[in-house]
Amino acid sequence: MQAPTGVQSAVRWYPPGYDIRVERVPIPKIEHADDAIVKVKLAGLCGSDLHIYRGTEALTEPTICGHEFIGEVVALGENFHSGVTGRPHLYSTLRLGDKVVSPFTVSCGECHHCRVGFTSRCVKSRLFGAPNTPGGQAQYVRVPYAGGTLYNLEGISTAAVNPTQQIKESIGSLADSSLLLLCDILPTGVFAAFQALNHPKTLPMLTSRPYPQSSGVAIADNAVLAPLQPEDKDLTIAVVGLGPVGVCACVAVLDMLYAKDINFRIIAIDPTEARRTKVEAIHAKISQAQGQQRKGHLEVSDIAASKGLVSACTDGIGCNVVLEVVGNNSALSLAYELVRPFGCITSVGVHAEPQVPYTGRELYNKNVSLDFGRCPVRAMFPIALDLLLRRQDIFGQVGGETSLVEKIVGFDVAPQTYDEFDKGKCGKVLFDPWMKGS
């Protein structure tokens, strides 16, 4: 296979903001021996792209947008060959023509952070869609440190939690529009749920044991002040923001909690009625499979009613944990108001404000744990893939009532699509770089 040359179509953002253009630009070339060039089949439009679109990231030069893409390897640097040892396995196994999916950040796979699973903080980390790492909303994209970044879909079944033969066959039949969700939004939603449900402050409700016994500490029974009452074991979670990542977080929380067979309540909050309606439909589909024996449920709410709803269903105590998936200070303020004393706020939204909207004293006085940051996609990939396989009724279709992906369009409508997404007029949209006249 000969490496492509010439020019390509790409979606480019121009400063100061709200300026999206589709232009002809040079096809990227191998610049480093660890590079790969990928021919893009589909690219996603993500809520995080809106931070650049709105000009809140302080970028001063144009950039090719997008950090979600799936495609085919069409060129490899010289460090990819069968004799490679002591490096991530893709350096010895990746071949031209292989179908790959990429996390939204570059990771070397070899530094301390990568080795312990904190791949989003790789020392070589870069975000696709920035000036120094042109993004995936193009016909071709250069992937730095590709052996530590890409997933080869030929062998992706080995990443599943339970890679049975049936799962291997299912993975082979998945649509590109479904697999692309593994780049960012599904792992990020799963990450938010995983962080929340494994936090020490949530474990008393999951284990029916008081803190700190809930974390495995051995304490004599006569040292416990009083036995837990039934209402003490109820778990209340709020999800603030029901965009694509918020939907993924809701699905992940429901999936994890139904498996634990405990009493729970999820309050899903968003100002947009269409988003609330979609989450209600998704919840109805998921809960139907649980039958009449299910112990938990989900309610949707707008912002104005959310505080009263949480107060009423928790007898004024507040939520055990709040997942903030918006990425602005108003969402963080609401999360603080909703969380109970000794609760936890888990934020996976991308924030541009210089400061959080509360002080250390406020966090101290309420014993609130504040958990911030970017999802380590490579580490969360097996859990996200397992959920993707089991919930193809939500993640496998395009344009349905409960489908996460709303539509697939060409680059010709990219400026209009960014505008609609920014204004909440559409949900998750994917770009086909090769589509004509959408």
Side-chain angles (χ1 to χ4, degrees):
M1 181 183 296
Q2 187 173 3
T5 58
V7 295
Q8 62 166 340
S9 293
V11 177
R12 298 186 81 193
W13 171 88
Y14 277 78
Y18 299 97
D19 186 356
I20 294 292
R21 309 176 195 179
V22 180
E23 298 182 336
R24 300 291 286 174
V25 299
I27 293 175
K29 301 177 181 179
I30 297 293
E31 297 179 13
H32 185 277
D34 286 348
D35 286 352
I37 305 298
V38 174
K39 181 180 180 181
V40 178
K41 291 189 174 183
L42 287 177
L45 175 56
C46 179
S48 300
D49 292 324
L50 295 180
H51 292 282
I52 293 177
Y53 176 66
R54 295 165 180 163
T56 58
E57 292 295 300
L59 299 182
T60 58
E61 58 183 285
T63 185
I64 296 177
C65 304
H67 54 259
E68 300 175 322
F69 59 91
I70 183 172
E72 175 189 357
V73 176
V74 294
L76 288 169
E78 62 183 18
N79 282 348
F80 290 85
H81 57 83
S82 59
V84 174
T85 59
R87 301 198 70 194
H89 70 93
L90 278 191
Y91 284 109
S92 62
T93 61
L94 192 62
R95 300 289 183 266
L96 297 180
D98 283 351
K99 185 177 179 181
V100 293
V101 62
S102 178
F104 65 95
T105 55
V106 170
S107 55
C108 71
E110 299 173 293
C111 69
H112 162 76
H113 301 295
C114 288
R115 292 194 301 270
V116 299
F118 304 150
T119 54
S120 57
R121 292 304 157 199
C122 171
V123 297
K124 305 291 187 181
S125 182
R126 305 185 201 174
L127 176 66
F128 286 104
N132 67 342
T133 314
Q137 290 174 16
Q139 292 177 315
Y140 296 90
V141 59
R142 183 177 73 89
V143 180
Y145 302 100
T149 299
L150 295 174
Y151 293 103
N152 188 347
L153 293 173
E154 300 298 323
I156 206 170
S157 58
T158 60
V161 174
N162 297 301
T164 64
Q165 183 60 37
Q166 183 178 1
I167 286 179
K168 292 179 182 179
E169 293 172 357
S170 298
I171 292 173
S173 65
L174 293 182
D176 289 346
S177 57
S178 182
L179 289 165
L180 182 130
L181 303 178
L182 295 168
C183 297
D184 181 354
I185 63 172
L186 183 54
T188 298
V190 171
F191 175 61
F194 182 85
Q195 293 283 92
L197 297 184
N198 285 278
H199 197 282
K201 292 180 177 178
T202 311
L203 293 181
M205 295 79 208
L206 298 177
T207 63
S208 296
R209 302 174 69 189
Y211 180 88
Q213 285 176 295
S214 54
S215 294
V217 177
I219 297 178
D221 289 339
N222 60 8
V224 177
L225 292 175
L228 292 182
Q229 299 301 306
E231 62 268 23
D232 297 329
K233 303 174 186 179
D234 293 343
L235 181 64
T236 304
I237 296 177
V239 180
V240 180
L242 302 179
V245 176
V247 171
C248 291
C250 287
V251 174
V253 171
L254 285 167
D255 184 76
M256 293 177 185
L257 290 180
Y258 277 138
K260 293 181 181 296
D261 193 35
I262 66 169
N263 292 318
F264 69 88
R265 180 184 291 105
I266 301 171
I267 312 298
I269 304 165
D270 198 282
T272 305
E273 183 178 3
R275 288 180 169 182
R276 299 195 301 269
T277 300
K278 180 176 283 290
V279 169
E280 282 184 313
I282 289 173
H283 173 243
K285 176 168 284 190
I286 294 175
S287 62
Q288 184 177 16
Q290 301 298 317
Q292 297 299 317
Q293 302 304 313
R294 64 181 184 273
K295 295 183 178 180
H297 68 281
L298 178 149
E299 299 177 59
V300 300
S301 175
D302 60 17
I303 294 173
S306 63
K307 299 175 192 176
L309 179 59
V310 168
S311 179
C313 69
T314 64
D315 198 23
I317 299 176
C319 296
N320 302 96
V321 62
V322 180
L323 310 186
E324 188 280 306
V325 292
V326 180
N328 62 40
N329 275 2
S330 62
L332 281 177
S333 295
L334 178 61
Y336 183 84
E337 294 180 62
L338 297 179
V339 75
R340 69 180 58 183
F342 233 89
C344 175
I345 297 172
T346 295
S347 174
V348 295
V350 179
H351 288 267
E353 293 292 332
Q355 296 179 335
V356 295
Y358 22 76
T359 64
R361 179 181 292 275
E362 289 174 301
L363 294 172
Y364 179 88
N365 286 347
K366 205 173 180 181
N367 271 82
V368 172
S369 295
L370 189 57
D371 197 350
F372 251 72
R374 176 184 291 171
C375 170
V377 172
R378 286 194 66 102
M380 300 307 300
F381 189 84
I383 306 174
L385 175 60
D386 180 65
L387 183 60
L388 181 79
L389 289 167
R390 290 186 290 102
R391 299 274 26 151
Q392 278 293 288
D393 52 346
I394 297 167
F395 302 126
Q397 301 175 355
V398 176
E401 180 188 20
T402 59
S403 300
L404 183 59
V405 178
E406 184 171 308
K407 58 185 176 180
I408 300 173
V409 300
F411 282 168
D412 57 310
V413 295
Q416 172 188 339
T417 303
Y418 264 84
D419 179 66
E420 291 176 352
F421 191 51
D422 178 53
K423 294 176 179 176
K425 295 181 179 180
C426 66
K428 184 68 177 178
V429 178
L430 309 184
F431 291 114
D432 181 343
W434 309 93
M435 181 184 292
K436 303 295 184 183
S438 59

